[in-house]
């Protein structure tokens, strides 16, 4: 998911010194937006949420890709003699730290001022705070800002594979399938662990049955959980108001029902 919150301010030039005027647009279009049954109607993800100044809401693109090529157009009342446009941007879904880390952010944006068609390409920083972009144009009318977006990269959400026996739950074994990162100086992150699988790739994890205790003929409990945020169990004050996991599979087979491991 790619998310953004924007605010716009336009300095106007007449014969007097330049004056900056804050604009409040309620006419925003996007190439797509996320629509699901976690929220009523179009709450939370509609393009208009880029202009409400609320970090708890954002436009979230609705395509099944990384968000590359998604577009956003912000219309305003046409202003004459505009020479400069300043955008204040919250890059990503900044409702909470876990949701910020779980969702894609923009890396590069191409901005057009309309109708002048002045084009500027800019790089955004990957941080959960306001940042600004300023664009100049020859003095003239301005009625819309359009953005074309390149995301900061794929988002890799982890899977958790858990195996245990009901009589010995303390012997539960968990396998982390995903990537772990560390912050680097100057912003960004570096990968310090990667147990993810590429499309079509198979990973093998050997778990001896003796690890799980219990009786020899007792069934095993297995579950595979898809985790949307950095931590499956965030602290209560950081708990998002949305689902944080999805159960991909859950089984309780007997040992004699399991196929033999391939050599």
């Amino acid at each position: 998911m790619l998310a953004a919150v924007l605010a716009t301010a336009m300095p106007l030039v007449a014969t007097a010194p330049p004056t900056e005027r804050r604009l409040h647009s309620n006419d925003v279009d996007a190439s797509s937006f996320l629509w699901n049954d976690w929220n009523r109607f179009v709450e939370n993800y509609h393009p208009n949420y880029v202009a409400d100044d609320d970090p708890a809401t954002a436009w979230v693109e609705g395509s099944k890709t990384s968000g590359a090529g998604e577009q956003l157009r912000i219309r305003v009342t046409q202003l004459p003699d505009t020479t400069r446009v300043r955008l204040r941007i919250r890059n990503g879904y900044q409702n909470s730290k876990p949701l910020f880390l779980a969702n894609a952010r923009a890396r590069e944006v191409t901005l057009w001022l309309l109708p002048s068609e002045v084009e500027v390409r800019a790089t955004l920083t990957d941080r959960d705070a306001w940042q600004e972009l300023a664009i100049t144009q020859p003095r003239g009318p301005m009625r819309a800002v359009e953005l074309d977006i390149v995301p900061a990269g794929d988002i890799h959400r982890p899977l958790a594979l858990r195996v245990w026996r009901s009589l010995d739950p303390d012997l539960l074994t968990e396998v982390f399938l995903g990537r772990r990162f560390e912050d680097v100086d100057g912003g960004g992150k570096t990968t310090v662990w990667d147990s993810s699988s590429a499309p079509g790739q198979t990973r093998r994890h050997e778990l001896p049955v003796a690890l799980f205790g219990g009786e020899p003929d007792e069934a095993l409990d297995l579950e595979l959980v898809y985790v949307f945020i950095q931590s499956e169990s965030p602290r209560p004050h950081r708990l998002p108001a949305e689902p944080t996991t999805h159960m991909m599979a859950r089984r309780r087979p007997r040992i004699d029902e399991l196929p033999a491991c391939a050599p």
Side-chain angles (χ1 to χ4, degrees), residues 4-10 23-30 47-52 59 71-77 85-89 111-114 142-147:
V5 177
L6 302 175
T8 56
M10 318 291 176
L23 299 179
H24 301 268
S25 175
N26 63 354
D27 187 0
V28 185
D29 289 334
N48 279 349
Y49 285 110
V50 302
D52 68 352
W59 164 61
Q71 294 183 331
L72 188 71
R73 178 176 289 192
I74 306 168
R75 296 182 180 86
V76 296
T77 301
V85 175
R86 184 164 63 93
L87 296 177
R88 300 190 72 228
I89 299 173
L111 301 101
W112 290 273
L113 300 185
L114 301 175
M142 202 288 298
R143 65 169 181 265
V145 182
E146 188 168 299
L147 296 87

Side-chain angles (χ1 to χ4, degrees), residues 33-36 39-47 49 58:
F33 71 93
L34 183 64
W35 188 316
N36 59 30
N39 300 284
R40 294 185 307 156
F41 310 116
V42 294
E43 288 180 359
N44 219 333
Y45 305 131
H46 191 274
Y49 285 110

Side-chain angles (χ1 to χ4, degrees), residues 2-179:
L2 186 70
V5 177
L6 302 175
T8 56
M10 318 291 176
L12 306 181
V13 174
T15 56
T19 300
E20 181 170 285
R21 176 180 297 168
R22 170 69 194 275
L23 299 179
H24 301 268
S25 175
N26 63 354
D27 187 0
V28 185
D29 289 334
S31 48
S32 70
F33 71 93
L34 183 64
W35 188 316
N36 59 30
D37 57 6
W38 293 352
N39 300 284
R40 294 185 307 156
F41 310 116
V42 294
E43 288 180 359
N44 219 333
Y45 305 131
H46 191 274
N48 279 349
Y49 285 110
V50 302
D52 68 352
D53 284 355
D54 185 355
T57 64
W59 164 61
V60 179
E61 53 82 22
S63 71
K64 296 182 179 180
T65 66
S66 64
E70 291 291 316
Q71 294 183 331
L72 188 71
R73 178 176 289 192
I74 306 168
R75 296 182 180 86
V76 296
T77 301
Q78 181 163 306
L79 299 171
D81 299 323
T82 302
T83 60
R84 188 169 182 265
V85 175
R86 184 164 63 93
L87 296 177
R88 300 190 72 228
I89 299 173
R90 288 185 184 268
N91 187 15
Y93 193 5
Q94 300 188 16
N95 182 25
S96 66
K97 189 71 170 180
L99 285 175
F100 175 76
L101 295 174
N103 290 280
R105 281 83 66 190
R107 182 180 66 224
E108 294 180 354
V109 292
T110 302
L111 301 101
W112 290 273
L113 300 185
L114 301 175
S116 68
E117 297 188 354
V118 168
E119 177 181 329
V120 173
R121 177 169 291 185
T123 300
L124 299 178
T125 59
D126 189 13
R127 58 190 176 91
D128 55 343
W130 285 108
Q131 50 192 294
E132 294 188 359
L133 297 176
I135 318 158
T136 59
Q137 69 167 27
R139 182 184 302 179
M142 202 288 298
R143 65 169 181 265
V145 182
E146 188 168 299
L147 296 87
D148 188 88
I149 296 167
V150 176
D154 294 335
I155 293 299
H156 301 277
R157 298 187 175 99
L159 293 167
L161 172 64
R162 301 187 180 101
V163 186
W164 74 98
R165 272 178 164 154
S166 298
L167 293 180
D168 282 295
D170 292 341
L171 298 180
L172 179 147
T173 297
E174 178 172 295
V175 178
F176 174 84
L177 306 171
R179 297 179 180 177

Side-chain angles (χ1 to χ4, degrees), residues 213-235:
E215 299 298 327
D217 60 348
E218 183 189 353
L220 289 171
D221 289 276
L222 300 95
E223 66 179 27
L224 184 65
V225 180
Y226 184 57
V227 184
F228 297 144
I229 62 175
Q230 188 178 37
S231 171
E232 186 178 351
S233 302
R235 297 176 182 176

